[in-house]
DNA sequence: AGGCGATGTGTACGCGCGTACACATGGCTC
DNA sequence: GAGCCATGTGTACGCGCGTACACATCGCCT
């Protein structure tokens, strides 16, 4: 019995997809699991997203702003005399402290681009956005390298299951800044 | 009929698994696809590797030495006065130049550790091995940071589909070295 | 020689998957 | 208000999957 004209059906499906990935990983993502999570019929998910790639692109778009938002929210970043490395290391810590789940989610979608060309533009855009945030404070090469270093540090924390060493991150990031 | 007493059945199954991941990604890995690739019956793969996790651990162990080997083969690294950053950037270039396929394979297995705790010790060991190679030339913190930076640079190349800029990598790595 | 455990083989079951399609229904245009 | 199209719904099919298990065969130990 119809819940006809559900204007943000799409949005609710994307939200459900994000929750599914958060809980079960990309391997657990299917039209059916998303349908169940969003409490819509199977046909509805296939109607709005013909392929899982489309659904992942939408999910990556929506969830990917997480870290950028954390970074952008740091006022210290805009201050020209501020401690850039310290601010970035702190942002990283803040993001990781929010729990493995959130970070894992964003990273898993991010890393899925390795095998799914459809996700690459979104992933690349993400890295570019971050670099753009850094642009006012440094040259493009440094910004790019800082983003790469932050990605590598995150990767090590998440991959090895170890804890985040903010002081180490600050020191490493500081060396990148000429 | 039977190919009885096949002494390195195990090894051949692992090799087949690596070829499957290289071609189709981890998503394409199953007892059946591996059995077909290795030309052994299904039961044989389940006998030697009860779960796919076991199979992936074996595959990661065997394939993961790729980059370490490239790095270790560079004589310039052991030379105390050599250009460490330049050597590392060149090693990265050599590894990536061997084709996306090889790098994608190793990275995909490496990144799978994000969601599969069983792979984490292997992935962590991999990063440690690399850091150990660098140890004679720098302090531990720097070695760790260099590995993180190399991981981040690789990630960006593979994720964005862009090309590798060795000069940029050399410059960034050089800044890490005090 | 005998036997036993490790290894190899074939088949079956139940499940969740993507996909396809036919049908219902609501909003919008004319 | 008639009709059309976007949207929503339910069901079915075929496939590949992990798993389980019974049976064959071999190596090796006594």
């Amino acid at each position: 019995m119809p819940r006809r004209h559900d204007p943000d059906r799409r949005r609710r499906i994307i939200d459900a997809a994000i929750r599914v990935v958060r809980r079960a990983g990309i391997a657990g993502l299917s039209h059916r699991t998303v349908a169940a999570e969003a409490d819509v019929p199977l046909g509805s998910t296939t109607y709005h997203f013909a392929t899982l790639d489309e659904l992942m692109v939408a999910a990556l778009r929506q969830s990917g702003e997480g870290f950028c938002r954390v970074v952008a929210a740091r006022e210290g970043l805009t201050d020209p005399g501020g401690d850039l490395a310290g601010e970035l290391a702190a942002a990283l810590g803040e993001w990781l402290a929010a729990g493995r789940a959130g970070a894992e989610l964003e990273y898993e979608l991010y890393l899925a681009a390795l095998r799914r060309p459809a996700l690459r533009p979104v992933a690349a855009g993400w890295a570019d956005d971050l670099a753009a945030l850094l642009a006012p404070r440094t040259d493009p090469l440094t910004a790019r390298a800082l983003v790469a270093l932050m990605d590598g540090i995150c990767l090590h924390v998440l991959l090895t299951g170890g804890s985040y060493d903010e002081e180490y991150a600050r020191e490493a990031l500081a060396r990148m800044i000429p």
Side-chain angles (χ1 to χ4, degrees), chain A:
Chain A
M1 218 53 54
R3 195 193 278 108
R4 296 314 165 131
H5 191 229
D6 185 347
D8 40 40
R9 198 28 95 82
R10 252 187 91 93
R11 162 66 69 120
R12 282 174 45 225
I13 290 175
I14 297 174
D15 290 343
I18 290 176
R19 287 197 301 274
V20 168
V21 174
R22 175 177 255 119
R23 190 196 323 125
I26 282 188
L29 191 72
S30 77
H31 282 122
R32 280 175 170 83
T33 53
V34 172
E37 175 73 31
D39 190 32
V40 298
L42 167 62
S44 194
T45 62
T46 65
Y47 175 76
H48 287 283
F49 303 93
T51 73
L52 288 181
D53 270 9
E54 280 181 40
L55 189 48
M56 286 196 304
V57 167
L60 181 55
R61 278 224 161 77
Q62 184 164 322
S63 83
E65 304 151 2
F67 183 60
C68 280
R69 204 163 32 226
V70 169
V71 170
R74 300 222 140 233
E75 297 181 0
L77 268 178
T78 54
D79 173 10
D83 174 16
L84 182 54
E87 286 292 326
L88 289 177
L92 221 44
E94 185 183 331
W95 184 65
L96 286 169
R100 250 193 96 92
E104 263 181 1
L105 163 76
E106 293 194 32
Y107 245 71
E108 182 157 14
L109 284 167
Y110 184 48
L111 299 179
L114 183 63
R115 280 291 180 180
R116 290 169 225 262
L119 298 192
R120 280 197 206 138
V122 192
W126 207 21
D128 288 347
D129 288 350
L130 201 49
L133 280 176
L134 270 40
R137 299 289 306 273
T138 54
D139 60 291
L141 184 144
T142 301
R144 209 165 128 209
L146 285 173
V147 175
L149 182 54
M150 284 190 286
D151 265 342
I153 291 174
C154 274
L155 204 57
H156 284 184
V157 170
L158 293 175
L159 239 52
T160 64
S163 60
Y164 174 61
D165 180 348
E166 185 168 324
E167 191 40 48
Y168 148 71
R170 207 200 59 78
E171 164 67 15
L173 288 165
R175 289 191 194 170
M176 283 309 314
I177 302 169

